[in-house]
Amino acid sequence: MGGLQGWHIVIIVVLALILFGAPKLPGLARSLGQSMRIFKSEVRQMKDDDPKDPKSTDETVEGKVVDPDHRGPKL
């Protein structure tokens, strides 16, 4: 019962035709394709920017511990 079957896809296509109209569908598909290409290129760029060697980042991070029960001064 899981997954999309052929008749599910037919219903989705018919609903898209009813909602958006036939003339607008090619433009919607084109912008969806462009968005997917941009998303893939950004993900690829993030993977390329990610350092492969964890030892290459010798930065020290400093911080302080904040008591979650202490809410600060009342205003």
Side-chain angles (χ1 to χ4, degrees):
M1 289 229 26
L4 286 177
Q5 296 177 354
W7 63 276
H8 290 122
I9 296 173
V10 171
I11 291 174
I12 291 171
V13 168
V14 169
L15 286 175
L17 282 171
I18 291 171
L19 290 175
F20 300 113
K24 290 187 179 183
L25 285 180
L28 289 173
R30 190 175 305 114
S31 32
L32 179 66
Q34 281 180 329
S35 299
M36 290 298 293
R37 274 194 300 274
I38 291 171
F39 180 74
K40 285 180 182 180
S41 68
E42 292 295 326
V43 168
R44 190 175 301 121
Q45 183 180 3
M46 286 176 57
K47 285 182 181 179
D48 291 343
D49 290 345
D50 194 26
K52 304 291 184 212
D53 186 17
K55 295 178 183 177
S56 65
T57 57
D58 292 335
E59 298 177 20
T60 303
V61 178
E62 294 183 22
K64 63 179 182 178
V65 177
V66 178
D67 185 13
D69 295 329
H70 179 68
R71 298 177 190 222
K74 291 185 179 181
L75 298 175

